[in-house]
Amino acid sequence: MDPIADMLTSLVNAQRVGKKRVAVPYSHFKKNLLTTLQEQGYISSVRVQESPKSKLVVSLAYDDFGNPKIRGVKRMSSPGGRMYARHAKMPYSYEGYGTIIVSTSRGLMDEKKARKDKVGGELVCAIW
């Protein structure tokens, strides 16, 4: 079971039915991933809801016409098969649309910033 893939699927499914917010179980990595997606403009905001089992409450983003900002996601690394890339071999996002999130020694970032900073890392997911 892959909790990151479950979270990404929850975001896509919630946007497809037009929900405003979705709650996912808390983890530090998920919070950093959602913060990176917020910086890229794929979600509006993320906050931690404190309770005995903390949750991340994600406010979803839509364009001016009500279409979801997240059209699709692909989990690139999985717990059983990690994918790594050096900065020179970093894959490009789908035809210039979307972004690939990379986990580097300097934290999570998109593939453009990783290429610019000349750092490689684990390919977490692609989002468009």
Side-chain angles (χ1 to χ4, degrees), residues 16-49:
R16 286 184 179 162
V17 296
K19 295 210 177 235
K20 301 266 186 217
R21 286 180 295 283
V22 64
V24 295
Y26 177 84
S27 81
H28 190 69
F29 185 81
K30 287 180 189 178
K31 184 176 186 301
N32 290 339
L33 179 60
L34 289 169
T35 303
T36 304
L37 292 178
Q38 181 181 359
E39 291 168 0
Q40 298 292 322
Y42 290 108
I43 61 173
S44 294
S45 65
V46 61
R47 66 178 173 84
V48 179
Q49 179 181 356

Side-chain angles (χ1 to χ4, degrees), residues 63-117:
D63 65 9
D64 296 336
F65 302 108
N67 298 321
K69 293 268 185 145
I70 300 174
R71 304 245 182 219
V73 294
K74 179 182 178 191
R75 180 76 159 113
M76 298 182 85
S77 284
S78 65
R82 305 283 185 195
M83 291 181 63
Y84 297 94
R86 296 179 302 159
H87 73 90
K89 300 283 184 177
M90 192 72 59
Y92 288 88
S93 57
Y94 297 106
E95 299 175 1
Y97 296 106
T99 188
I100 297 173
I101 305 297
V102 183
S103 178
T104 68
S105 58
R106 297 182 190 168
L108 289 173
M109 59 181 72
D110 66 336
E111 91 277 359
K112 295 175 192 89
K113 186 169 182 350
R115 230 181 269 112
K116 180 183 167 197
D117 292 351

